[in-house]
Amino acid sequence: MELNKIISPVLSIARYSTRKILFNRRWILSLIIAVLVGSIMGYAATLVDEPLDSGATLLDVLILSFIMPIIAMIYGSSLIRNEIEDRSITQVIIAPLDRRIAYFGYYISLAFALSIIMVLINLIGWLAFYAQRGMDGDSLAILASMCLVSIMGSLAYSALFLASGVFLKKPVYFGLFYAFIWESFIGSIPGAISHFTVRHFVRSVAAGWVNYGSIGTYDGSPVSVSIAVLVGITVAFLVLGAIVFDKSEYP
Amino acid sequence: MSSAVPAGNFKPPVIQASFLSKWYGDVIGLNGMNVIIHEGITGIVGPNGAGKSTFFKLVMGTIKSNAGDLLVFGQRPWGNWRQLSSIGFCPDYEFLPLDMTGNEYLRFLGGLQAMEKNALEKRIAEVAIIVRMKKDMDRKMGGYSKGMKQRLKIAGALLHNPKLLLLDEPLSGLDPISRRDIIELIKSLNRDYGHTVIVSSHVLHEIERMTHSIALIYKGRAVASGVISEIRNLISQHPHNIILEGKNMAELAKALIDRSYTYSVGFNNNRNSITVKVTIPEEFFDSMPELVEMTGARIERMFSQDDNLESVFKYMVGW
């Protein structure tokens, strides 16, 4: 098969969906969250003694542990499901394109858009904090590590929540349960049970790269294992989602 | 198996459905449908809920049949995404992204079809002319009228120059001028551009303006298919219900009973209204002036219960 017959439709879906994600009304939600993170971190910068530790802790608690799964849930679970519900999925389903490849196009757009949003939120939080407390090499390293970890987390969460949109008719309920109960609550319980969350492996990678604050002392899994698990989660949900998307009917 | 094709067409069928069935839980979409559709324009006519859209979705492979067999260009459509390059589909529902311009939307569709950039731009310009939307292609679709949206949906279906075009209720919700324009466009798509077009509607006379080959679908079955005139003959062999309202209806009823075309006569809720069941409606209507004069009846209202398509289908299935 000619490569263009795959690349062109995938890029077409990715461009179309990215535009939908980034420029629909939900950008206001992302903006509010970014402003909130900036405000909290900006205010915190005036209060704390150890800027490197405190800044890293805030980025961990606010973004990695809380905001990332929620934003991923909001965008991911609705992306394909909304198109199935309003039947705009028809234009993709009736294209001469393997549906599994089309699904990959949706994934690219979600992962890309989510990565951009998370990097921007990290950047705003970091600027609000470190602009007041000194933007040195160490703080830049924290930003770079948190952005990289956020991108890895975005890739995994995108696969998980995008798949929920094809597995379930009401993925938002699953998403709410997963983001708030499983990731936030179960993920906070000390002990091995917290290891059954994406958050644990995202934070474990961050713990290997950042030596400051709560994330620097996080007792996580080894970085290589965590990366392998995140890649495994991403691939597994991508494959499962693509199979279900391919075999589903679209009345 | 019924065939929506004039006699003498020996080309292989475009679509061949044998005992095709589809149900959604307890709801039956298609129920053992048999139909053969050849090149040209074919009208799929049936009341709402008859199974027209279900048939199209099966042809497109967006849903899977529960029983029976369906061949499109000799191949089964479910899971056969390669075949979709030969088919263009214009659904009956709204799904256009209203924040995009017509050009942007067609570029998106062209990308899905893996069309090369220069060829795509050329083709977009061509289809914009075909559907007479050239001037409006740079406008956001949110500002389009219903007719313009319909044209753009057809443009989207045409973009990759498919052999087969499926247009599901393309006239639905349009004003008379837009209807006329779309009818002309559909005829032109076959006559001037060689597309095989299958168009659905629940209005028989609209389909008649486009084609003489039709398939009548009712409750998930193709109850008849072929040339419209043949189907009309079939319909006219069944008794027609005609309601007459006015004064002195009893005398008129007595006179009607003696006529050879009368199958039965009965009073409705009062003596000013009768229902006449006739086997040859043309003779009934021809004889009415004479009967009115003879009986002194004063007819205030006369209408057929069977003018609607639902009644036609009831005839066809023997109700």
Side-chain angles (χ1 to χ4, degrees):
Chain A
M1 182 191 288
E2 287 177 54
L3 205 57
N4 183 48
K5 297 246 177 203
I6 295 174
I7 292 172
S8 171
V10 167
L11 288 181
S12 208
I13 293 168
R15 272 196 300 267
Y16 173 73
S17 297
T18 304
R19 175 184 161 138
K20 248 169 74 166
I21 295 169
L22 292 179
F23 298 108
N24 76 1
R25 284 180 196 156
R26 272 176 290 179
W27 69 266
I28 296 170
L29 178 74
S30 301
L31 183 70
I32 290 170
I33 289 173
V35 169
L36 194 67
V37 169
S39 305
I40 292 170
M41 292 194 67
Y43 178 64
T46 64
L47 304 174
V48 297
D49 293 329
E50 297 290 337
L52 288 173
D53 285 330
S54 302
T57 299
L58 282 167
L59 289 174
D60 168 35
V61 171
L62 286 174
I63 299 174
L64 288 191
S65 301
F66 185 65
I67 289 170
M68 187 159 64
I70 289 170
I71 290 194
M73 180 269 290
I74 290 168
Y75 286 107
S77 59
S78 61
L79 183 61
I80 286 184
R81 178 47 54 185
N82 282 1
E83 288 198 14
I84 293 171
E85 295 298 322
D86 68 17
R87 298 195 280 186
S88 57
I89 196 85
T90 305
Q91 56 210 355
V92 172
I93 294 301
I94 63 172
L97 171 69
D98 190 323
R99 288 184 191 175
R100 291 166 295 186
I101 292 170
Y103 183 82
F104 187 61
Y106 282 105
Y107 172 73
I108 288 175
S109 67
L110 178 61
F112 176 69
L114 199 57
S115 298
I116 287 177
I117 291 169
M118 295 317 303
V119 166
L120 283 176
I121 293 175
N122 269 297
L123 186 63
I124 288 167
W126 180 86
L127 277 173
F129 190 92
Y130 289 104
Q132 300 180 68
R133 302 303 299 260
M135 293 189 283
D136 56 10
D138 285 342
S139 66
L140 270 172
I142 291 172
L143 174 66
S145 301
M146 290 307 237
C147 286
L148 209 55
V149 172
S150 294
I151 290 170
M152 292 181 68
S154 297
L155 297 180
Y157 281 120
S158 294
L160 171 68
F161 287 114
L162 188 69
S164 76
V166 290
F167 294 160
L168 307 165
K169 286 198 170 166
K170 301 282 181 196
V172 71
Y173 295 127
F174 162 78
L176 287 170
F177 168 80
Y178 185 80
F180 284 102
I181 308 293
W182 195 260
E183 287 283 309
S184 295
F185 179 64
I186 302 290
S188 304
I189 296 174
I193 192 165
S194 68
H195 293 196
F196 293 101
T197 60
V198 175
R199 184 175 98 152
H200 166 75
F201 295 103
V202 169
R203 294 186 76 212
S204 296
V205 176
W209 293 348
V210 176
N211 296 318
Y212 300 100
S214 61
I215 198 68
T217 57
Y218 181 64
D219 184 22
S221 305
V223 173
S224 56
V225 171
S226 300
I227 291 175
V229 171
L230 288 175
V231 170
I233 288 170
T234 305
V235 172
F237 279 104
L238 250 180
V239 170
L240 282 173
I243 291 170
V244 174
F245 186 68
D246 181 43
K247 301 295 176 199
S248 296
E249 295 184 60
Y250 301 91
Chain B
M1 186 178 297
S2 46
S3 172
V5 60
N9 189 338
F10 300 111
K11 287 188 177 176
V14 174
I15 294 176
Q16 188 163 2
S18 314
F19 302 100
L20 187 65
S21 296
K22 174 67 189 173
W23 48 86
Y24 310 97
D26 293 338
V27 179
I28 294 174
L30 281 183
N31 184 15
M33 180 170 159
N34 294 302
V35 73
I36 294 174
I37 295 173
H38 289 263
E39 288 179 356
I41 303 179
T42 301
I44 304 283
V45 188
N48 292 331
K52 304 185 294 291
S53 296
T54 298
F55 177 64
F56 281 158
K57 287 169 191 165
L58 286 165
V59 171
M60 291 304 299
T62 65
I63 56 174
K64 187 166 63 171
S65 63
N66 296 103
D69 204 11
L70 174 66
L71 296 175
V72 181
F73 296 119
Q75 297 178 43
R76 290 186 178 85
W78 174 251
N80 189 356
W81 53 267
R82 285 179 183 84
Q83 192 181 50
L84 292 170
S85 59
S86 307
I87 311 173
F89 179 41
C90 173
D92 61 338
Y93 44 83
E94 289 295 335
F95 61 87
L96 295 173
L98 301 180
D99 60 335
M100 290 175 104
T101 67
N103 272 326
E104 286 171 342
Y105 178 64
L106 292 188
R107 281 188 199 114
F108 163 58
L109 294 185
L112 291 177
Q113 298 284 344
M115 293 172 77
E116 190 269 324
K117 195 181 173 198
N118 290 337
L120 173 61
E121 292 301 325
K122 196 175 158 212
R123 182 62 183 159
I124 288 173
E126 280 173 10
V127 294
I129 291 168
I130 292 172
V131 300
R132 287 179 232 141
M133 284 286 289
K134 197 181 169 190
K135 280 189 282 182
D136 300 293
M137 293 301 284
D138 285 321
R139 282 177 54 195
K140 291 234 157 99
M141 289 188 282
Y144 282 7
S145 67
K146 174 101 180 163
M148 291 161 85
K149 286 178 188 162
Q150 199 62 47
R151 285 166 188 278
L152 200 81
K153 278 159 64 179
I154 294 174
L158 274 177
L159 189 67
H160 55 295
N161 202 17
K163 282 190 273 185
L164 172 62
L165 268 175
L166 304 175
L167 309 178
D168 195 3
E169 299 269 5
L171 306 176
S172 174
L174 297 183
D175 60 70
I177 294 170
S178 299
R179 276 171 191 259
R180 185 199 60 199
D181 289 350
I182 298 283
I183 287 170
E184 286 308 312
L185 171 63
I186 291 168
K187 285 158 78 173
S188 155
L189 289 173
N190 174 250
R191 184 187 59 228
D192 303 329
Y193 299 97
H195 298 284
T196 288
V197 184
I198 303 176
V199 55
S200 74
S201 175
H202 55 277
V203 184
L204 185 58
H205 70 83
E206 283 180 345
I207 292 290
E208 278 183 290
R209 291 168 65 191
M210 299 177 220
T211 180
H212 297 295
S213 296
I214 63 166
L216 296 180
I217 300 186
Y218 185 67
K219 295 201 169 178
R221 287 176 186 271
V223 292
S225 59
V227 180
I228 282 183
S229 57
E230 292 169 3
I231 292 170
R232 280 209 178 282
N233 286 340
L234 280 173
I235 293 167
S236 63
Q237 287 165 14
H238 292 80
H240 282 224
N241 292 303
I242 296 159
I243 294 177
L244 297 159
E245 291 173 0
K247 301 281 180 341
N248 212 10
M249 289 293 107
E251 288 303 312
L252 183 62
K254 276 187 214 163
L256 279 166
I257 286 168
D258 294 336
R259 299 286 164 151
S260 60
Y261 54 72
T262 303
Y263 187 77
S264 67
V265 181
F267 282 95
N268 298 325
N269 292 336
N270 57 64
R271 296 186 67 79
N272 293 330
S273 174
I274 60 173
T275 297
V276 191
K277 210 172 245 193
V278 298
T279 50
I280 310 168
E282 295 81 9
E283 284 190 19
F284 164 80
F285 288 115
D286 288 347
S287 67
M288 272 314 287
E290 178 204 335
L291 285 170
V292 166
E293 196 178 338
M294 194 174 83
T295 59
R298 280 177 51 203
I299 295 177
E300 292 161 359
R301 204 159 160 247
M302 176 169 71
F303 58 95
S304 169
Q305 272 190 323
D306 308 323
D307 280 347
N308 60 67
L309 200 58
E310 187 85 8
S311 304
V312 172
F313 291 109
K314 283 179 181 172
Y315 284 145
M316 300 309 298
V317 294
W319 283 19

